[in-house]
Amino acid sequence: MADAILRDAVAADFERVLALNAAEVTQTSAMDRARLEALAALACRFTVAEADGRVVGFLLAMDHDAAYDNDNFRWFAAHAPRFVYVDRIVVDAAAAGMGIGGKLYRDLFAQARRRGIDRVVCEYNLAPPNPASKAFHDRFGFVEVGRQHVAGGSKLVSLQQLVLAPEAMP
């Protein structure tokens, strides 16, 4: 597989983004076309990674000013003045190990810095556990700043934060 390039998502990518999300729905959350369109409209960053002409990953993020009705986003809004919230980052299992997730995050970090935002926040599941996401976020230096039950109590999430250094990230 060729090295992935990043670009802004377009409507023609939506079906593939939905398929990638569906493959990881236990770690993210369900999303249909209408939900994706709504999230895309709120996003400060909606990036896809493309390799060999195929979307192999995506990242959806909102900034602190978004009118996003989400339990985790609201938690961060109550605890941090300015941030970029990663709603979801998904990479095709067939592209694992290619550094695509890291490339998507480094792009987001650079964009946040350009906008004068030094805090990137997200969450990952503790129950059901998501050890791959924990390891991924640990590698970038994210730290837990809280925990909460979501999805009617069926999930416990670790609320994570990374304060961006002014220099390049890993």
Side-chain angles (χ1 to χ4, degrees):
M1 188 176 288
D3 191 33
I5 59 158
L6 301 185
R7 61 174 175 76
D8 291 339
V10 296
D13 299 321
F14 285 15
E15 288 309 312
R16 178 68 179 143
V17 166
L18 290 169
L20 289 169
N21 192 80
E24 296 294 331
V25 73
T26 59
Q27 303 303 341
T28 61
S29 60
M31 182 169 62
D32 60 13
R33 177 82 183 212
R35 177 77 172 151
L36 177 55
E37 289 172 357
L39 293 177
L42 292 173
C44 66
R45 196 76 172 156
F46 183 12
T47 309
V48 296
E50 186 178 288
D52 298 329
R54 182 174 171 86
V55 172
V56 294
F58 72 93
L59 178 143
L60 253 167
M62 291 78 174
D63 69 17
H64 54 273
D65 289 330
Y68 188 24
D69 184 21
N70 172 280
D71 291 338
N72 297 316
F73 182 88
R74 278 193 301 275
W75 190 95
F76 287 113
H79 292 88
R82 290 176 49 84
F83 58 87
V84 172
Y85 171 75
V86 179
D87 184 69
R88 60 193 79 209
I89 178 172
V90 177
V91 175
D92 189 328
M98 291 180 54
I100 293 168
K103 196 171 197 175
L104 286 163
Y105 258 12
R106 285 187 295 277
D107 173 73
L108 179 67
F109 299 161
Q111 192 253 7
R113 279 191 201 92
R114 282 191 300 274
R115 295 181 58 226
I117 299 173
D118 70 351
R119 190 174 318 262
V120 176
V121 300
C122 65
E123 79 283 338
Y124 57 75
N125 292 347
L126 295 172
N130 187 345
S133 188
K134 178 185 182 338
F136 176 74
H137 288 89
D138 286 353
R139 191 171 80 231
F140 285 98
F142 280 82
V143 296
E144 185 174 271
V145 292
R147 290 181 175 194
Q148 70 178 357
H149 285 92
V150 294
S154 65
K155 291 183 179 182
L156 173 64
V157 297
S158 174
L159 299 153
Q160 297 280 310
Q161 169 181 280
L162 174 67
V163 177
L164 298 171
E167 303 303 317
M169 298 301 296

